[in-house]
């Protein structure tokens, strides 16, 4: 496993965990404030998390 390969997989995992954090913050803020605007952050977090999984799996299959 080369260094650039590990770096690309790590970037995918960083996106996954950033997406999870955004989903949690958005869902909790929506629950606490009852303001639907926070749902945008939740959806954005889901998209970031999905993109991270795609990058992680795609780079994992290249080995």
């Amino acid at each position: 496993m080369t260094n650039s390969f590990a770096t690309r997989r790590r970037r995918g995992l960083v996106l996954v965990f950033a997406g999870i954090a955004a989903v949690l913050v958005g869902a909790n803020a929506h629950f606490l404030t009852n303001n639907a605007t926070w749902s945008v952050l939740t959806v954005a977090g889901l998209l970031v998390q999905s993109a991270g999984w795609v990058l992680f799996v795609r780079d994992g299959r290249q080995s």
Side-chain angles (χ1 to χ4, degrees):
M1 183 159 70
T2 64
N3 192 18
S4 64
F5 177 74
T7 303
R8 287 193 311 248
R9 287 192 74 177
R10 193 173 303 126
R11 285 182 192 156
L13 282 179
V14 167
L15 283 177
V16 168
F17 288 119
I20 290 171
V23 166
L24 290 174
V25 168
N28 285 326
H30 174 68
F31 175 74
L32 293 173
T33 63
N34 206 15
N35 187 353
T37 309
W38 289 104
S39 297
V40 174
L41 181 61
T42 304
V43 171
L46 286 172
L47 292 174
V48 169
Q49 184 181 0
S50 299
W53 278 120
V54 167
L55 288 174
F56 180 76
V57 170
R58 186 186 66 184
D59 288 337
R61 290 185 180 180
Q62 290 178 357
S63 61

